[in-house]
């Protein structure tokens, strides 16, 4: 057996243990699964944004070659469904959502009918033979239009198209806005996005001989999917096995409950055969949840010196045609709670309205609500700097929450607490890495020669790992905040970790091993990690809200500690000394100050299983399961800086440099952490510069229906990302980790927008909405030149 | 029955092995590779030939296999990702991806590796700009491309500098 590690594994930039099979093309994603006798489902989707369904004629489809079954919504009415959200903000009006539309469709892409056939090609062919009569109704796609009088109404129980009204208040905004030297208002749009995991959704449901059902699904939350499928399809939860194999990215989109997740299990049981569904990319654009889609009206009150006195926010969160899984929580708790960002703004007033429209349902996408919240705070403070012609950095410094103020409750909030941080430290580190002063003068100097460069700054903080469980009850979230880990030691002293977290590319096999290795003091190669199988992993909540290291990692840490505690008892008995005299280091139990020879961890493990010499009343075995419920949430923070050049003649933005300084608490693996920042920042740059879902406002047609017209950036569209860290450990968990996955996509959008606005400021442009595409920038420059009579 | 469902016999070489398969006229090469031959390392990430996840090598050239009809592979010599790693040793490109953490979910990775092979064949010592241009046909949603560029640079620096 190899020697115990001499160095602490947490903090080491280890290379990933999971890479080999993925590099060799031996990964196993759901679409790679092929079972004997497997049938294929294809779905007919609504071509209309809003319509009444008349007759659905399935006869031609039913008699097509290879077809086993064709169904419309009517046939399933009362059998399975409806699809219930998992997070329902108290007071929300929840529209009923059938698994397949019954008498009305409410967005382009909604399921109308399905076919199961022997091959996928036959299923597609037969779907083309289904004939549906529609009576087209007026549609509404925009959240501002949907709340107007006379707008088309989507659901009888959702008057005015508003499902939820959520208010937050602290201090007295009205009072400070009367007394302030300045009050300015702005309206910002948080553009609708498509998460675009490179692996689209897929599902295989397979009935087993023993009467159970196995469901293979690329799920970020396998145990949640087990519960939801069980409850919605009517299968006893213990007879359902959910397996999440390799997942090709999730970003929030693979943590919801979709129609197909329910249809495959139902049909597999009906037909007694495995049923597979695979989503084509174009289908994905109209069936997998979208992200963002907000309009915010902001008012900010401040002094002549640039000190912000108060902030007022009105959010309209477009959630599409139904309330998806977490949809009522996104524009509300997750957005406006965080509207003051890293700044000390004691007087805050916010109201969020959750709005249904004839569009694809909107739900969590990398950051969910926190990017929208940070965008509010950042666009507001940038507007203050612009208004007063103050330096954007100094205004931020003046308003930052100070290090001594942590733990900090913004605007006296009961729900929000930032556990720790040092925003000044982040800013200083970022400015130094960026060479801010030199670049500032460079920008000014170049402007004279017709070169328009700009610097963007953005700071953020948020909260990760939704917990503790009892607090989630208050906000109507029907799940716990804990995570489960089982550490099982075999008779040779090697470990298997069964973790309820779920990697979709984050590298948990490596990072969770590092956490366990430090406590168990055994080599990384002696640790295996199992995730994504509800038959193997006892319980879990999965991966979202940057919770896997803070909550999932902590649960591995605590269960490893319990292993060591029990092993110590066994060692004491083997050494024939009192437990309190035993110490554990470098993988061996010894009795300091004596010449008793130490016993190794592997010897103790063997003893745990043979049970020959255990202390009285101690059970054999070395196997511990923990349900770790955190006491609070960690708050990552960061300051990002971007340097851009804008060509006013073409509107093209060239990103010259991007520096990210993030404080995500203790770094488990700096290499993987930087990778999370790179990916997140690029998704944020994508939102700022390239990506936007477009709908035809008249008829509700999705205009960005494929990757041909939805602009996911390629390598040449993005810069190198210089990722640096500051480590302020979180006091909320035993490893001090805060969460990292969402940081980049929170910070980058405002950072990029500010950089571009700075670059075009000589034209007098003070506002632009994302995405800052060349035509949009070019038009703004033309407009400004016209206004200036140039 | 319409001609699209008619089956044709195609013979080609894949990862060094000769194969003869019957395929419908409308069948795409990527589906033949994945489903008929079980080589699932080649992925499907889109339906408009934008993503590059399906990239394989046909007669020495990197090609998006979703743009090729299976029947047109007659007589071709094809290499897929599985052909690069017959045993347990990664080839230099794969090893560089591992070394530089150039993959996260791994879904784009096989196609990306196949495109990098072509890139390095065309330009043994590409600049960063060349690399970013050269990979324009492959989308990665996880890595932000940063470490993919680092991995390719590490291979380039081993060649002659241009
Ligand atoms: S599958 Fe996307 S390019 Fe071939
Ligand atoms: S590693 Fe996930 S898409 Fe590239």
């Amino acid at each position: 057996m190899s020697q115990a590690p001499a160095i602490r594994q947490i903090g080491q930039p280890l290379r990933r243990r999971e890479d080999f099979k993925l590099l060799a093309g031996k990964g196993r994603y759901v679409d790679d699964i092929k079972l004997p006798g497997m049938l294929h489902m294809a779905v007919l989707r609504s071509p209309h944004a809003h319509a009444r369904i008349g007759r659905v004629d399935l006869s031609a489809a039913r008699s097509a070659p290879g077809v086993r079954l064709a169904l419309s919504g009517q046939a399933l009415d009362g059998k399975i469904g409806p699809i219930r959200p998992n997070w329902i903000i108290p007071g929300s009006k929840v529209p009923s959502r059938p698994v397949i539309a019954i008498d009305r469709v409410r967005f382009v892409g909604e399921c109308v009918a399905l076919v199961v056939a022997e091959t996928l090609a036959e299923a597609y062919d037969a779907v083309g033979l289904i004939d549906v009569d529609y009576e087209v109704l007026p549609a509404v796609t925009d959240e501002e239009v949907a709340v107007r009088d006379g707008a088309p109404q989507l659901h009888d129980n959702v008057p005015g198209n508003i499902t939820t009204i959520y208010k937050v208040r602290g201090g007295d905004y009205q009072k400070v806005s009367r007394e302030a030297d300045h009050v300015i208002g702005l309206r910002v749009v948080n553009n609708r996005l498509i998460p675009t995991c490179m692996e689209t959704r897929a599902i295989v449901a397979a009935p087993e001989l023993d009467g159970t059902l196995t469901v293979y699904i690329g799920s970020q939350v396998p145990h949640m999917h087990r519960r939801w499928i069980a409850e919605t399809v009517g299968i006893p939860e213990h007879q359902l096995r959910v397996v999440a194999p390799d997942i090709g990215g999730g970003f929030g989109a693979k943590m919801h409950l979709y129609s197909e997740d329910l249809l495959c299990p139902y049909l597999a049981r009906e037909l007694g055969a495995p049923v597979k569904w695979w989503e084509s990319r174009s289908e994905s654009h109209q069936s997998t949840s979208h992200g963002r889609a907000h309009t915010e009206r902001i008012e900010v009150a401040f002094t002549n010196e640039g000190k912000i006195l108060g902030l007022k926010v009105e959010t309209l969160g477009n959630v599409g045609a139904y309330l998806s899984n977490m949809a009522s929580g996104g524009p509300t708790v997750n957005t406006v709670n965080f509207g003051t960002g890293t700044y000390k703004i004691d007087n805050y007033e916010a109201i969020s309205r959750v709005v249904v429209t004839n569009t694809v349902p909107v739900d969590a996408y990398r950051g969910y609500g926190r990017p929208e919240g940070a965008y509010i705070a950042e666009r507001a403070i940038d507007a203050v700097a612009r208004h007063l012609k103050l330096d954007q950095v100094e205004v931020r410094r003046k308003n930052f929450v100070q290090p001594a103020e942590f733990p900090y409750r913004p605007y006296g909030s009961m729900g929000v607490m930032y556990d720790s941080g040092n925003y000044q430290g982040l800013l200083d580190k970022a400015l130094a890495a960026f060479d801010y002063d030199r670049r500032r003068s460079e920008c000014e100097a170049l402007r004279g020669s017709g070169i328009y460069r700009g610097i963007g700054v953005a700071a953020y903080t948020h909260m990760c790992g939704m917990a503790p469980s009892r607090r989630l009850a208050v906000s109507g979230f029907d799940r716990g905040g804990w995570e489960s880990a089982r550490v099982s030691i075999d008779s040779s002293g090697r470990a298997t970790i069964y973790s309820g977290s779920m990697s979709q590319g984050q590298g948990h096999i490596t990072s969770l091993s590092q956490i366990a290795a430090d406590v168990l003091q055994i080599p990384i190669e002696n640790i295996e990690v199992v995730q994504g199988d509800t038959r193997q992993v006892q319980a879990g909540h999965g991966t979202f809200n940057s919770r896997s290291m803070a909550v999932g990692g902590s649960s591995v840490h605590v269960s490893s500690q319990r292993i060591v505690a029990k092993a110590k008892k066994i060692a004491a008995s083997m050494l024939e000394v009192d437990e309190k005299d035993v110490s554990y280091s470098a993988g061996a139990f010894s009795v300091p100050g004596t010449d008793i020879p130490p016993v190794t961890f592997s010897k103790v493990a063997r003893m745990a299983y043979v049970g020959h010499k255990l202390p009285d009343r101690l059970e054999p075995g070395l196997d511990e399961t923990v349900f770790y419920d955190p006491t609070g949430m960690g708050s990552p923070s960061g300051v990002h800086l971007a340097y851009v050049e804008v060509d006013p003649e073409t509107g093209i933005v060239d990103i010259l440099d991007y520096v990210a300084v993030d404080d995500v608490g203790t770094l488990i693996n700096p290499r993987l952490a930087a990778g999370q920042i790179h990916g997140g920042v690029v998704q944020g740059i994508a939102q700022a510069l390239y990506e936007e879902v477009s709908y035809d406002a008249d008829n509700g047609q999705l205009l960005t229906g494929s990757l041909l017209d939805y602009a996911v950036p390629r390598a040449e569209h993005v810069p190198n990302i210089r990722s640096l860290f500051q480590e302020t450990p979180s006091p909320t968990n035993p490893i001090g980790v805060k969460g990292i996955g969402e940081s980049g996509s929170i910070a980058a959008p405002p950072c990029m927008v500010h950089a571009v606005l700075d670059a075009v400021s000589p034209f007098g442009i003070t506002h632009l909405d994302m995405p800052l595409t060349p035509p949009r920038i070019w038009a703004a420059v033309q407009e400004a030149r016209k206004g200036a009579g140039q | 029955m319409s001609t699209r469902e008619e089956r044709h016999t195609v013979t080609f070489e894949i990862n060094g092995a000769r194969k003869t398969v019957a395929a419908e006229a409308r069948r795409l090469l990527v589906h033949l590779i994945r489903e008929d031959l079980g080589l699932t390392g080649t992925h499907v990430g889109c339906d408009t030939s934008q993503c590059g996840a399906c990239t394989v090598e046909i007669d020495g050239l990197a090609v998006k296999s979703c743009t090729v009809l299976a029947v047109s592979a007659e007589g071709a010599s094809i290499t897929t990702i599985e052909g690069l790693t017959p045993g347990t040793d990664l080839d230099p490109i794969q090893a560089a991806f591992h070394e530089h953490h150039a993959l996260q979910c791994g879904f784009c990775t096989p196609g990306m590796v196949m495109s990098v092979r072509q890139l390095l064949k065309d330009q043994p010592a590409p600049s960063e700009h060349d690399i970013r241009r050269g990979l324009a046909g492959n989308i990665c949603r996880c890595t932000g491309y940063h470490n993919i560029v680092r991995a390719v640079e590490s291979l380039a620096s081993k060649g002659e500098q241009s």
Side-chain angles (χ1 to χ4, degrees):
Chain A
M1 191 149 172
S2 5
Q3 281 303 297
I7 40 167
R8 199 169 121 89
Q9 294 295 339
I10 288 185
Q12 296 300 318
L14 299 190
R15 289 182 178 76
R16 292 207 315 179
R17 311 178 67 204
E18 38 272 89
D19 284 356
F20 178 81
K21 68 172 180 177
L22 301 176
L23 280 162
K26 306 273 166 51
R28 186 172 178 253
Y29 302 87
V30 174
D31 190 34
D32 302 339
I33 295 170
K34 205 169 154 181
L35 301 174
M38 190 168 79
L39 303 172
H40 298 263
M41 176 177 86
V43 174
L44 177 71
R45 300 187 180 279
S46 170
H48 301 294
H50 201 185
R52 238 180 276 289
I53 302 176
R55 199 177 58 106
V56 181
D57 183 356
L58 299 162
S59 51
R62 283 190 174 132
S63 51
V67 170
R68 288 291 187 87
L69 178 146
L71 282 181
S72 66
Q74 216 74 39
L76 292 181
D77 195 14
K79 291 198 178 144
I80 62 171
I83 303 177
R84 296 273 304 167
N86 189 238
W87 190 0
I88 302 174
I89 295 291
S92 294
K93 302 189 176 75
V94 180
S96 176
R97 181 180 188 185
V99 180
I100 302 186
I102 297 169
D103 47 12
R104 205 154 135 196
V105 285
R106 295 181 174 85
F107 67 96
V108 171
E110 185 165 3
C111 301
V112 175
L114 64 84
V115 167
V116 179
E118 279 154 29
T119 69
L120 184 57
E122 287 168 339
Y124 282 153
D125 285 348
V127 158
L129 300 173
I130 301 173
D131 197 25
V132 185
D133 291 338
Y134 294 101
E135 181 201 329
V136 177
L137 301 169
V140 61
T141 59
D142 180 277
E143 58 275 14
E144 288 184 313
V145 179
V147 297
R148 283 186 201 145
D149 287 344
Q153 299 291 299
L154 271 80
H155 302 278
D156 294 344
N157 69 332
V158 185
N161 294 325
I162 295 172
T163 67
T164 310
I165 297 181
Y166 177 80
K167 293 178 184 165
V168 170
R169 196 192 197 112
D172 190 344
Y173 174 77
Q174 297 305 330
K175 179 168 177 287
V176 295
S177 68
R178 284 192 300 271
E179 295 165 0
D181 298 327
H182 308 268
V183 176
I184 56 173
L186 57 161
R187 171 185 173 275
V188 298
V189 175
N190 217 293
N191 40 328
R192 179 187 280 249
L193 304 175
I194 295 176
T196 320
C197 313
M198 289 322 295
E199 179 209 26
T200 54
R201 289 188 298 122
I203 177 163
V204 177
E208 307 290 351
L209 289 174
D210 60 6
T212 62
L213 187 77
T214 304
V215 175
Y216 301 91
I217 177 172
S219 168
Q220 298 177 227
V221 292
H223 289 87
M224 296 309 303
H225 268 114
R226 184 179 66 172
R227 192 225 280 180
W228 298 331
I229 294 169
E231 287 176 352
T232 321
V233 182
I235 302 170
E237 194 172 338
H238 73 296
Q239 290 182 350
L240 192 60
R241 174 185 184 189
V242 171
V243 178
D246 292 318
I247 304 181
F251 314 120
K254 292 179 183 163
M255 60 179 290
H256 312 313
L257 183 62
Y258 296 94
S259 295
E260 300 84 2
D261 305 348
L262 302 162
L263 292 170
C264 287
Y266 172 79
L267 295 166
R269 297 225 305 179
E270 289 290 300
L271 294 166
V275 175
K276 178 178 194 169
W277 173 77
W278 169 81
E279 182 189 53
S280 75
R281 175 62 61 190
S282 305
E283 218 179 350
S284 180
H285 281 212
Q286 49 177 273
S287 62
T288 292
S289 61
H290 291 174
R292 318 285 189 254
H294 283 200
T295 301
E296 262 95 21
R297 286 183 185 276
I298 305 169
E299 211 177 88
V300 54
F302 51 100
T303 67
N304 286 327
E305 293 72 41
K307 175 84 188 96
I308 299 182
L309 301 175
L311 186 68
K312 185 177 151 195
V313 176
E314 278 180 37
T315 285
L316 289 178
N318 188 336
V319 292
Y322 300 93
L323 273 184
S324 175
N325 201 265
M326 296 168 68
S328 64
T332 55
V333 170
N334 276 19
T335 298
V336 295
N337 277 7
F338 300 98
T340 57
T342 51
Y343 309 110
K344 194 173 159 68
I345 303 174
D346 294 333
N347 303 290
Y348 181 53
E349 197 177 294
I351 179 164
S352 175
R353 293 182 179 85
V354 177
V355 183
V356 287
T357 62
N358 296 108
T359 60
V360 172
V362 177
D363 208 319
Y365 168 51
R366 203 168 193 166
Y368 198 29
R370 278 73 45 77
E372 295 89 322
Y375 200 65
I376 293 169
E378 282 300 312
R379 292 304 310 278
I381 197 153
D382 222 63
V384 169
R386 218 173 292 285
H387 189 81
L388 295 174
K389 300 196 171 29
L390 292 175
D391 182 76
Q392 53 191 352
V393 168
E394 290 322 306
V395 170
R396 284 175 171 79
R397 212 187 276 285
K398 190 170 289 174
N399 287 283
F400 271 155
V401 174
Q402 300 300 308
E405 292 175 285
F406 294 99
Y408 180 75
R409 290 186 178 278
Y411 55 89
S413 170
M414 291 309 291
V416 182
M417 190 181 86
Y418 300 131
D419 70 334
S420 61
N422 176 1
Y423 308 150
Q424 283 76 4
L426 291 165
L427 181 63
D428 291 338
K429 193 164 180 174
L431 294 174
F434 190 78
D435 204 355
Y436 180 80
D437 293 333
R438 186 183 63 77
R439 281 194 167 150
R440 187 76 270 168
S441 12
E442 189 176 82
C443 280
E444 307 306 330
L446 287 172
R447 273 173 195 171
S449 51
I451 294 175
Y452 297 93
R453 288 195 177 175
I455 298 174
V457 189
Y460 74 91
T461 186
H462 67 119
M463 291 162 74
C464 292
M466 297 181 124
S469 298
R470 63 172 59 160
R471 230 192 63 199
L472 300 187
V474 184
S475 66
F477 208 178
D478 186 21
R479 71 178 80 163
W482 49 262
E483 194 48 87
S484 173
R486 170 179 167 213
V487 176
S488 180
I489 307 295
D490 69 14
S491 65
S492 73
R494 293 176 172 87
T496 305
I497 296 169
Y498 298 87
S499 160
S501 299
M502 187 67 221
S503 184
Q504 319 114 54
Q506 294 90 341
H508 291 176
I509 294 180
T510 306
S511 51
L512 293 179
S513 303
Q514 288 179 264
I515 292 171
D518 274 353
V519 181
L520 299 173
Q521 302 181 32
I522 62 175
I524 294 274
E525 25 335 331
N526 291 354
I527 302 173
E528 294 296 328
V529 177
V530 177
Q531 296 186 323
D533 180 350
T534 62
R535 267 285 166 85
Q536 295 190 68
V537 178
Q538 58 292 341
H541 279 118
T543 290
F544 54 93
N545 188 222
S546 306
R547 72 192 293 275
S548 294
M549 290 302 111
V551 194
S554 293
S555 68
V556 168
H557 177 90
V558 173
S559 50
S560 301
Q561 279 180 324
R562 289 198 191 160
I563 292 284
V564 171
K566 183 170 179 186
K568 196 181 242 183
K569 288 192 171 65
I570 299 169
S573 154
M574 291 167 76
L575 297 165
E576 298 178 335
V577 297
D578 200 285
E579 184 196 335
K580 68 177 186 329
D581 297 326
V582 177
S583 91
Y584 185 50
S585 80
F589 294 91
S590 61
V591 189
T594 69
D595 52 8
I596 302 175
V599 340
T600 61
F601 185 73
S602 58
K603 290 243 161 57
V604 172
R606 169 59 69 106
M607 182 59 72
Y609 287 97
V610 297
H612 295 167
K613 199 168 182 185
L614 296 184
D616 290 345
R617 287 186 301 279
L618 191 72
E619 279 176 19
L622 205 45
D623 194 315
E624 297 286 339
T625 301
V626 160
F627 285 66
Y628 170 82
D629 205 350
T631 53
M633 295 167 74
S635 307
S637 53
V639 171
H640 290 202
L641 290 167
Y643 195 36
V644 304
E645 186 171 315
V646 176
D647 180 348
E649 307 312 322
T650 61
I652 290 174
V653 177
D654 193 9
I655 309 170
L656 306 172
D657 193 14
Y658 195 102
V659 171
V661 182
D662 295 278
D663 186 341
V664 296
T666 305
L667 289 173
I668 310 291
N669 182 323
R671 186 186 309 276
L672 305 197
Q676 286 296 311
I677 296 296
H678 300 153
V681 164
V682 164
Q683 288 185 14
I685 291 175
Q687 170 168 26
L689 299 188
Y690 309 118
E691 293 179 18
E692 179 172 48
V693 176
S694 307
Y695 275 98
D696 184 318
D698 292 329
N699 58 22
Q701 287 300 321
L702 176 63
L703 303 177
T704 44
S706 79
L707 278 179
L708 272 171
D709 18 53
Y710 184 78
V712 173
R714 289 145 197 284
E716 58 181 331
H717 300 132
V718 294
N720 287 322
I721 311 296
R722 292 200 279 148
S723 165
L724 306 168
F725 293 100
Q726 165 183 290
E727 290 185 66
T728 313
S730 171
T732 64
N733 63 65
I735 23 189
V737 64
K738 292 177 174 175
I740 189 168
E742 299 161 302
S743 294
S745 57
I746 295 175
C751 184
M752 290 307 302
V753 171
H754 296 156
V756 171
L757 284 177
D758 187 36
V760 298
S761 61
F763 297 97
I765 297 168
T766 57
H767 179 78
L768 286 167
D769 274 318
M770 302 184 286
L772 309 181
T773 55
R776 206 170 268 189
I777 293 173
W778 182 84
V781 170
Q782 295 305 309
E783 199 55 36
R785 278 180 172 157
K786 229 187 289 164
Q790 277 177 287
Chain B
M1 190 180 271
S2 63
T3 49
R4 63 181 183 184
E5 283 121 16
E6 233 168 77
R7 292 166 88 85
H8 304 262
T9 304
V10 224
T11 301
F12 52 88
E13 196 186 285
I14 188 157
N15 300 333
R18 219 178 134 76
K19 299 270 177 200
T20 301
V21 187
E24 282 182 12
R26 62 175 170 177
R27 195 156 183 77
L28 298 175
L29 179 61
V30 66
H31 293 132
L32 180 128
I33 290 173
R34 286 180 53 78
E35 282 146 37
D36 299 307
L37 305 177
L39 296 170
T40 54
T42 302
H43 296 152
V44 179
C46 72
D47 46 13
T48 51
S49 300
Q50 316 285 187
C51 76
C54 61
T55 306
V56 300
E57 196 178 281
I58 304 179
D59 296 332
L61 270 185
V63 174
K64 291 178 174 176
S65 60
C66 73
T67 64
V68 179
L69 288 170
V71 288
S72 66
E74 179 64 36
S77 165
I78 302 170
T79 306
T80 68
I81 188 74
E82 289 89 348
L84 304 195
T85 322
T88 53
D89 284 340
L90 295 174
D91 96 335
I93 298 173
Q94 293 168 321
F97 269 56
H98 173 62
E99 179 70 21
H100 292 273
H101 184 34
L103 66 154
Q104 291 184 24
C105 78
F107 195 80
C108 72
T109 308
M112 205 53 102
V113 167
M114 297 311 283
S115 291
V116 169
R117 258 162 81 90
Q118 181 74 50
L119 171 71
L120 291 172
K121 251 191 254 173
D122 296 344
Q123 293 168 286
S127 66
E128 186 197 324
H129 178 78
D130 297 335
I131 296 169
R132 288 185 179 275
R133 279 304 301 251
L135 297 178
N138 293 70
I139 298 177
C140 174
R141 192 57 156 172
C142 299
T143 63
Y145 305 101
H146 182 99
N147 284 340
I148 295 176
V149 176
R150 298 290 86 73
V152 182
E153 279 174 343
S154 78
L155 295 160
S157 57
K158 286 176 196 151
E160 318 152 31
Q161 292 296 321
S162 58

